[in-house]
Amino acid sequence: MARNAPDGPDAALERELGQLKAEYEKLREEQVRAEQTLAHLEAELSSLEEKARQEYGTSDPAELKARLESMRAENERMVAAYREHIASVRGGLDALERGVNDDAR
């Protein structure tokens, strides 16, 4: 049987078919990688949700956000109280030093 001419219409179709097969294989490999990535990310999400439920009693993003905001507000309150305490201690030390310096004169 005679082969098709290298420049004939059948040869062009064969080349295109070869290119399409190669593209299909590339896309199939990308799909497999995407499915593997998705499975990995779903497993990681499940693990993180379980960890959040154990540590915070919920894995709901809205509830976690509200809890985080509450914790930040509490931290700000505690820092402000500590700042006031330090200022009070500093003021007491300054007063003590002034008293000592006044007595030394």
Side-chain angles (χ1 to χ4, degrees):
M1 192 182 325
R3 293 277 305 160
N4 294 327
D7 296 339
D10 290 341
L13 286 175
E14 284 183 34
R15 280 192 302 273
E16 183 178 3
L17 181 60
Q19 291 170 344
L20 291 172
K21 284 181 179 180
E23 184 176 353
Y24 173 81
E25 285 302 315
K26 179 181 173 190
L27 291 172
R28 193 175 64 74
E29 288 172 9
E30 286 179 19
Q31 179 184 9
V32 168
R33 280 193 301 274
E35 289 171 350
Q36 289 171 342
T37 299
L38 177 62
H40 171 74
L41 291 174
E42 285 174 340
E44 187 175 353
L45 176 61
S46 178
S47 173
L48 290 171
E49 286 175 335
E50 181 59 31
K51 183 177 179 182
R53 279 191 292 274
Q54 289 176 358
E55 290 184 22
Y56 304 109
T58 184
S59 64
D60 178 63
E63 290 180 37
L64 290 169
K65 182 178 179 184
R67 181 172 255 187
L68 177 61
E69 289 171 358
S70 173
M71 292 168 91
R72 283 182 175 154
E74 177 64 12
N75 284 346
E76 288 176 13
R77 186 196 65 74
M78 291 173 70
V79 167
Y82 190 60
R83 185 182 309 117
E84 288 177 19
H85 174 71
I86 295 298
S88 172
V89 169
R90 186 178 296 128
L93 287 174
D94 288 346
L96 183 62
E97 285 179 2
R98 281 193 304 274
V100 169
N101 288 339
D102 288 345
D103 290 344
R105 290 182 189 170

